[in-house]
Amino acid sequence: MEMSSNKLMEKVKKLLEKQGRNAYEAAKEEILNEEITYEPIREALQYFIQELWHNFQHPALLSLTCESVGGKTENTTSIGVALILLTGAADIHDDIIDQSKTKGSKPTVLGKFGRDIALLAGDALLLKGCTLLQKACEEIPKKQGKTILNLVKEAFFEIGIAEAKETTFKGNWDLAPKKYLDIIRMKAAIADATARIGAIIGGGSSYESEALGKYGRTLGILATIRDDFIDVFEPDELKNRAENECLPLPVLYAFRDKKVKNKIVKVLRKRELKEDDAYKIVETITETENMQTLKKEMKVLLKIGIKSLKIVENQKVLNSLEEMLHVTVEGLI
């Protein structure tokens, strides 16, 4: 692509916000207007939706895949709202499992309000999301609604199984990269389902829905791998992953080389990691042969994702969907 990395990222960021803004604002309104008498839970939910969970990605993907088969984007808003709340619930619960108290520069709901309030806030989002999803599906043709409900159910069951499997890998620094990559593939189930649902709402064929689901799955996998690369640069996140989660995928690939592994383990065993430590790890793994293997696998995934978009005839939408794929690997391969 001709566009520079920063310009492409900014373009995709604006695209996602534009396509997902209506659903996000509606989701935020649902939470802010909810009458919750217990102040700590109300504050936790408001903090989450206003400060942390600016989820434009899922409603944007829903909107674009709907448009890609000739549908109207406004028809996706109500289901987009439900997906924002459901994925938000999953995110809060995931932080509790992983004991993640900060993300970037902000405390998570767990870090700010504690485990009990975080758990109940996540439950509230889950219940609200399910209620709105059911309502949205009742307002469309019965067959479509039933299919959408089933897709969402199966997707959340899949990520639930992935989370359960991942807990068995905690602290296992000898974990084979393929095993963790399988977890990442399962976690991409929501993006897969979202893309399929967009096609269904847009009146697409089963063939189009299948192809767009494949695109969504690939997009979700690549986006998660990119997040794993970013986590290597974040000392606090890297330390928490070393102690309470799986190590980032790039580190697991690097660990296939025993000499490289020994160097990184010495750093990870420090009581506290600083920015210099994170950069030392990055420098150690960047040019390793195993890292090149991971990058080749990412290139293959990119090709699979692009190929799955052959069914899209709308050139503008096609360009947007391709750019969303390219931004996940920008600067990495």
Side-chain angles (χ1 to χ4, degrees):
M1 298 186 70
E2 299 294 330
M3 196 176 298
S4 70
S5 175
N6 288 339
K7 285 184 178 179
L8 177 61
M9 289 182 183
E10 189 60 31
K11 183 180 180 182
V12 170
K13 182 180 178 182
K14 288 180 179 178
L15 168 71
L16 294 176
E17 185 168 346
K18 179 184 177 182
Q19 296 287 146
R21 170 62 68 178
N22 287 343
Y24 168 73
E25 291 297 339
K28 183 168 72 171
E29 187 175 350
E30 287 285 349
I31 295 304
L32 296 182
N33 291 339
E34 190 68 39
E35 294 184 6
I36 299 174
T37 57
Y38 189 54
E39 188 173 342
I41 294 179
R42 184 174 68 251
E43 288 181 358
L45 287 169
Q46 290 175 352
Y47 171 72
F48 181 72
I49 201 70
Q50 291 180 304
E51 300 294 330
L52 301 180
W53 198 239
H54 300 151
N55 182 358
F56 302 120
Q57 298 95 313
H58 288 95
L61 178 59
L62 195 67
S63 172
L64 285 166
T65 51
C66 175
E67 189 177 0
S68 75
V69 296
K72 296 180 179 180
T73 59
E74 58 266 28
N75 292 340
T76 66
T77 302
S78 57
I79 290 179
V81 171
L83 287 176
I84 288 171
L85 300 182
L86 290 171
T87 53
D91 185 73
I92 292 177
H93 288 157
D94 187 45
D95 286 341
I96 295 170
I97 292 170
D98 296 336
Q99 301 178 47
S100 295
K101 295 186 177 181
T102 60
K103 281 185 179 177
S105 59
K106 294 182 178 181
T108 61
V109 175
L110 172 66
K112 188 174 179 69
F113 296 93
R115 182 183 179 278
D116 293 346
I117 295 299
L119 180 61
L120 293 169
D123 289 348
L125 287 177
L126 183 62
L127 181 59
K128 185 72 174 180
C130 286
T131 301
L132 292 177
L133 179 64
Q134 180 68 42
K135 182 180 177 181
C137 288
E138 288 174 353
E139 295 173 353
I140 59 178
K142 187 175 181 180
K143 185 177 179 181
Q144 286 187 349
K146 185 177 180 180
T147 301
I148 290 169
L149 284 171
N150 194 52
L151 281 170
V152 174
K153 180 194 74 173
E154 289 182 353
F156 276 91
F157 276 11
E158 188 171 351
I159 64 168
I161 292 169
E163 290 287 355
K165 286 184 175 181
E166 189 177 3
T167 60
T168 67
F169 297 150
K170 287 182 179 183
N172 182 4
W173 291 4
D174 295 318
L175 181 66
K178 184 183 180 303
K179 287 188 176 182
Y180 182 52
L181 194 53
D182 287 341
I183 296 295
I184 291 175
R185 286 195 180 94
M186 294 178 73
K187 286 185 176 182
I190 298 299
D192 183 331
T194 299
R196 290 174 190 266
I197 292 168
I200 291 169
I201 296 172
S205 66
S206 58
Y207 176 74
E208 289 172 318
S209 178
E210 181 74 23
L212 289 168
K214 191 172 186 178
Y215 164 82
R217 179 79 64 163
T218 306
L219 178 68
I221 293 169
L222 286 172
T224 302
I225 293 175
R226 183 176 189 86
D227 287 343
D228 270 28
F229 271 98
I230 292 171
D231 284 350
V232 182
F233 285 88
E234 299 286 342
D236 290 342
E237 186 65 27
L238 183 58
K239 185 64 175 176
N240 189 66
R241 291 193 63 161
E243 293 178 348
N244 301 309
E245 306 176 54
C246 290
L247 286 168
L249 189 63
V251 176
L252 292 176
Y253 267 83
F255 273 15
R256 293 162 113 183
D257 183 320
K258 289 186 178 181
K259 289 184 179 180
V260 171
K261 179 180 178 180
N262 290 336
K263 288 181 181 179
I264 296 175
V265 166
K266 286 181 181 179
V267 179
L268 290 178
R269 291 199 185 282
K270 288 185 176 182
R271 180 170 296 181
E272 180 181 355
L273 293 184
K274 298 182 179 179
E275 285 190 10
D276 288 347
D277 296 315
Y279 277 105
K280 188 181 294 183
I281 291 174
V282 171
E283 288 178 358
T284 302
I285 70 176
T286 298
E287 299 302 327
T288 63
E289 184 178 337
N290 291 309
M291 192 53 49
Q292 301 313 310
T293 299
L294 173 57
K295 291 180 179 182
K296 287 178 182 177
E297 291 176 4
M298 292 172 69
K299 287 180 181 178
V300 171
L301 285 168
L302 180 63
K303 289 180 181 178
I304 290 171
I306 291 173
K307 187 177 180 181
S308 67
L309 292 174
K310 285 186 176 181
I311 52 97
V312 180
E313 295 180 359
N314 184 317
Q315 191 60 47
K316 182 180 177 182
V317 176
L318 175 62
N319 290 342
S320 295
L321 291 170
E322 285 185 346
E323 286 170 350
M324 286 168 63
L325 268 178
H326 279 287
V327 83
T328 64
V329 299
E330 194 66 32
L332 298 178
I333 63 174

